[in-house]
Amino acid sequence: MIRTQILGTGSSVPDRVVTNDELSLVMDTSDEWIRTRTGIQERRWVREGETGVGLAQKAAERALQMAQLTAKDLDAIVYATCTPDHFIPGNGVYLQREMGIPGIPALDIRMACSGFIYALSLADAWIKTGSFKRVLVVGAEIQSTGMDVSTEGRNTAVIFADGAGAVILAASDNAERGLLSFDLHSDGTHAELLWVDTPGSMYHPRIDKAQIDQKRHYVSMDGKEVFRHAVTRMPESVKTALGRASLAVKDISLLLPHQANLRISEMVQRNLELRDDQVYNNIQKYGNTTAATIPLMLDETVRAGRVKSGDVVVMTAFGAGFTWGSCVARW
Ligand SMILES: CC(C)(COP(=O)(O)OP(=O)(O)OC[C@H]1O[C@@H](n2cnc3c(N)ncnc32)[C@H](O)[C@@H]1OP(=O)(O)O)[C@@H](O)C(=O)NCCC(=O)NCCS
């Protein structure tokens, strides 16, 4: 039986730290409000000239180094992002160009905060069916350039941030270890509860000054509704994915919940009755980096030695769409 193993992890964030106090200078908010409502203490935002592909490349190189492979060893790239550098083409091909590996397929997945879980599941299917042997999976976002940095945009501007994470996946015949199961869902009923309206191909032209004046090119979110769905869907999905791997909540060594809001993670933890040492959060330092939160956490925990051989690692996400899902892996 072919099983997909994670051979290496890597991550990269911009070096510009944006504190809550810095945001308080440009909008009506406070360090106290942001910390108590979201858990976020600071986040990373790019400087002009830094790009999503640039961050993704650094993350990919670090993952390749851990896997003791080079870019030429890769058979495919799956790049999860909903904030590509350009409308067309996707970021996968730009990353491929920067890495100097023309010819292999380079695919974008735009499933917002669930993007990395969806990307993993697709790469896993490619590997299991024998289509490709070694796949680079990236989750990377630049959210800061799409934020309304004024009081009107404060419910999103304080949350979203920039970053990148990557993993190298490879086929193995060790059935005990690797990606064991997935659970994936979407529900477009709620599409407009967390979205960016424009530019869009339904408009003639795709974006105009009136839309910009109405701030329809910024992320817009009904935070309460997102919160309500996220705290229910993530635990449900974790249990379903564990069941598919013939495991239970008690078997979890480490849960990596998408970093939307620390209060959401804490409610998911309580719902699943997990101890503090079974759940990892880093939203305090990085904010919500959408498709990058899970590979960022994975890289930090692997490099810190928090993930040991045989551990059951569960990744779960919820986000725009709505989309949600989980992946169970044995290290
Ligand atoms: C956005 C979120 C932090 C808002 O927290 P909340 O407790 O629901 O707060 P509300 O939206 O009810 O707003 C309460 C008040 O705080 C204000 N507020 C919103 N953002 C603020 C900010 N950054 N600073 C200060 N006040 C703020 C609101 O305007 C509102 O004021 P009002 O009562 O005068 O109208 C919260 O809903 C959340 O995190 N939701 C999930 C978001 C998420 O996870 N998104 C990513 C999904 S992948």
Coordinates of all heavy atoms in Angstrom, one line a residue, residues 28-30 33-34 37-38 113 154-155 158-160 194 221 223-224 226-227 258 260-261 263-264 288 318-319, ligand 1:
D28 N -9.4 53.1 15.4 CA -9.9 53.1 16.7 C -10.0 51.7 17.3 O -11.0 51.0 17.1 CB -11.3 53.8 16.7 CG -11.9 53.9 18.2 OD1 -11.1 53.6 19.1 OD2 -13.1 54.2 18.3
T29 N -8.9 51.3 17.8 CA -8.8 49.9 18.5 C -7.8 50.0 19.6 O -7.2 51.1 19.8 CB -8.4 48.9 17.4 OG1 -8.5 47.6 18.0 CG2 -7.0 49.0 16.9
S30 N -7.5 48.9 20.3 CA -6.5 49.0 21.3 C -5.9 47.6 21.5 O -6.4 46.6 21.1 CB -7.2 49.4 22.7 OG -8.1 48.3 23.0
W33 N -8.2 45.4 23.5 CA -9.3 44.8 22.7 C -8.8 43.7 21.9 O -9.4 42.6 21.9 CB -10.0 45.9 21.8 CG -11.3 45.5 21.3 CD1 -12.6 45.8 21.8 CD2 -11.6 44.6 20.2 NE1 -13.6 45.2 21.1 CE2 -13.0 44.5 20.1 CE3 -10.8 44.0 19.2 CZ2 -13.6 43.7 19.1 CZ3 -11.4 43.2 18.2 CH2 -12.8 43.1 18.2
I34 N -7.8 43.9 21.1 CA -7.3 42.8 20.2 C -6.9 41.6 21.0 O -7.2 40.5 20.6 CB -6.2 43.4 19.3 CG1 -6.7 44.6 18.5 CG2 -5.7 42.3 18.3 CD1 -5.6 45.3 17.7
R37 N -10.1 39.8 22.5 CA -11.1 39.3 21.6 C -10.5 38.3 20.6 O -11.2 37.4 20.1 CB -11.7 40.4 20.8 CG -12.5 41.4 21.5 CD -13.7 40.8 22.2 NE -14.4 41.9 22.9 CZ -15.6 42.4 22.6 NH1 -16.2 41.9 21.5 NH2 -16.1 43.3 23.3
T38 N -9.1 38.4 20.4 CA -8.6 37.5 19.3 C -7.3 36.7 19.8 O -6.9 35.7 19.1 CB -8.1 38.3 18.1 OG1 -7.0 39.1 18.4 CG2 -9.2 39.2 17.6
C113 N -8.9 29.6 4.1 CA -8.3 29.1 5.3 C -8.1 27.6 5.3 O -7.3 27.0 6.0 CB -9.0 29.6 6.5 SG -8.9 31.3 6.7
R154 N -11.7 47.6 11.0 CA -10.9 47.1 12.1 C -11.2 45.7 12.5 O -10.4 45.0 13.1 CB -11.1 48.0 13.3 CG -12.5 48.1 13.9 CD -12.7 49.1 15.0 NE -14.1 49.2 15.4 CZ -14.5 49.9 16.4 NH1 -13.7 50.7 17.1 NH2 -15.8 49.9 16.7
N155 N -12.4 45.2 12.1 CA -12.7 43.8 12.5 C -12.0 42.8 11.7 O -11.9 41.6 12.1 CB -14.2 43.5 12.5 CG -14.8 43.3 11.1 OD1 -14.3 44.0 10.2 ND2 -15.7 42.4 10.9
V158 N -7.2 43.8 12.1 CA -6.4 43.4 13.2 C -6.1 41.9 13.2 O -5.3 41.4 14.0 CB -7.1 43.8 14.6 CG1 -7.3 45.3 14.6 CG2 -8.4 43.1 14.8
I159 N -6.9 41.2 12.4 CA -6.8 39.7 12.4 C -5.8 39.1 11.4 O -5.0 38.3 11.6 CB -8.2 39.1 12.2 CG1 -9.1 39.4 13.4 CG2 -8.1 37.6 11.9 CD1 -10.5 38.9 13.3
F160 N -6.0 39.6 10.1 CA -5.3 38.9 9.0 C -3.9 39.4 8.8 O -3.6 40.5 9.0 CB -6.1 39.1 7.7 CG -7.4 38.3 7.7 CD1 -8.6 39.0 7.9 CD2 -7.4 36.9 7.5 CE1 -9.8 38.3 7.9 CE2 -8.6 36.3 7.6 CZ -9.8 36.9 7.8
L194 N -17.9 35.9 4.4 CA -16.4 36.2 4.4 C -15.9 36.2 3.0 O -15.8 35.2 2.4 CB -15.7 35.2 5.3 CG -14.2 35.2 5.4 CD1 -13.7 36.6 5.8 CD2 -13.7 34.2 6.4
M221 N -16.2 40.7 6.4 CA -16.5 39.5 7.2 C -17.6 39.7 8.3 O -17.6 40.8 8.9 CB -15.2 39.1 7.9 CG -15.4 37.9 8.9 SD -13.8 37.5 9.6 CE -13.5 38.7 10.9
G223 N -18.0 38.5 11.5 CA -17.2 37.8 12.4 C -17.9 36.8 13.3 O -17.5 35.7 13.6
K224 N -19.1 37.3 13.8 CA -19.9 36.5 14.7 C -20.4 35.2 14.1 O -20.3 34.1 14.7 CB -21.1 37.3 15.2 CG -20.8 38.2 16.3 CD -22.1 38.5 17.1 CE -21.9 39.5 18.3 NZ -20.6 39.5 18.9
V226 N -19.0 33.7 11.4 CA -17.9 32.8 11.1 C -17.5 32.1 12.4 O -17.3 30.9 12.4 CB -16.7 33.7 10.6 CG1 -15.4 32.9 10.4 CG2 -17.0 34.4 9.2
F227 N -17.4 32.8 13.5 CA -17.1 32.3 14.8 C -18.0 31.1 15.1 O -17.6 30.0 15.4 CB -17.2 33.4 15.8 CG -16.5 33.1 17.1 CD1 -15.3 33.8 17.4 CD2 -17.0 32.2 18.0 CE1 -14.7 33.5 18.6 CE2 -16.3 31.9 19.2 CZ -15.2 32.6 19.5
H258 N -6.6 25.6 12.7 CA -6.4 26.8 11.9 C -6.5 28.0 12.9 O -7.3 28.1 13.7 CB -7.5 26.9 10.8 CG -7.5 28.3 10.2 ND1 -6.4 28.8 9.6 CD2 -8.5 29.2 10.2 CE1 -6.7 30.1 9.2 NE2 -8.0 30.3 9.5
A260 N -7.6 31.1 13.5 CA -8.5 32.2 13.1 C -8.7 33.2 14.2 O -8.7 34.4 14.0 CB -9.9 31.6 12.8
N261 N -8.7 32.7 15.5 CA -8.9 33.5 16.6 C -8.6 32.6 17.8 O -9.1 31.4 17.8 CB -10.4 33.9 16.7 CG -10.8 34.8 17.9 OD1 -10.3 34.5 19.0 ND2 -11.6 35.8 17.7
R263 N -9.8 32.5 20.7 CA -11.0 32.0 21.4 C -11.6 30.8 20.6 O -12.2 30.0 21.2 CB -12.0 33.2 21.5 CG -11.6 34.1 22.7 CD -12.2 35.5 22.5 NE -13.7 35.4 22.3 CZ -14.4 36.2 21.5 NH1 -13.8 37.1 20.7 NH2 -15.7 36.1 21.4
I264 N -11.5 30.8 19.3 CA -12.1 29.7 18.5 C -11.3 28.5 18.9 O -11.8 27.4 19.2 CB -12.0 30.0 17.0 CG1 -13.0 31.2 16.7 CG2 -12.3 28.7 16.2 CD1 -13.0 31.5 15.2
N288 N -3.9 35.7 11.8 CA -4.5 34.7 10.9 C -3.8 34.8 9.5 O -4.2 35.8 8.8 CB -6.0 34.9 10.9 CG -6.7 33.9 9.9 OD1 -6.0 33.2 9.2 ND2 -8.0 33.9 10.0
F318 N -11.1 25.9 9.1 CA -12.4 26.4 8.7 C -12.2 27.8 8.1 O -11.4 28.6 8.6 CB -13.3 26.5 9.9 CG -14.7 27.1 9.6 CD1 -15.7 26.2 9.3 CD2 -14.9 28.4 9.5 CE1 -17.0 26.7 8.9 CE2 -16.2 28.9 9.1 CZ -17.2 28.0 8.8
G319 N -12.9 28.1 7.0 CA -12.8 29.5 6.5 C -13.8 29.8 5.4 O -14.8 29.2 5.2
Ligands
LIG1 C1 -14.0 39.7 14.5 C2 -14.2 39.3 15.9 C3 -12.8 39.4 16.7 C4 -15.1 40.4 16.6 O1 -15.3 40.1 17.9 P1 -16.7 40.1 18.5 O2 -16.6 39.8 20.0 O3 -17.6 39.2 17.7 O4 -17.1 41.6 18.3 P2 -18.3 42.2 17.5 O5 -18.2 42.0 16.1 O6 -19.6 41.8 18.2 O7 -18.1 43.7 17.8 C5 -18.2 44.2 19.1 C6 -17.8 45.7 19.1 O8 -16.4 45.8 18.9 C7 -16.1 46.6 17.8 N1 -14.9 46.2 17.1 C8 -14.7 45.4 16.1 N2 -13.4 45.3 15.8 C9 -12.8 46.0 16.7 C10 -11.4 46.4 16.9 N3 -10.4 45.8 16.1 N4 -11.1 47.2 17.9 C11 -12.0 47.7 18.7 N5 -13.3 47.5 18.5 C12 -13.7 46.6 17.5 C13 -17.3 46.5 16.9 O9 -17.4 47.6 16.0 C14 -18.4 46.4 17.9 O10 -18.7 47.7 18.3 P3 -20.3 48.1 18.6 O11 -20.7 47.3 19.7 O12 -20.1 49.6 19.0 O13 -21.0 47.9 17.3 C15 -14.8 37.9 16.1 O14 -16.1 38.0 15.7 C16 -14.1 36.9 15.4 O15 -12.9 36.6 15.6 N6 -14.8 36.1 14.5 C17 -14.2 35.1 13.8 C18 -13.3 35.7 12.7 C19 -12.5 34.7 12.1 O16 -12.1 33.7 12.6 N7 -12.2 35.0 10.8 C20 -11.3 34.2 10.0 C21 -12.0 33.0 9.6 S1 -10.9 31.9 8.8

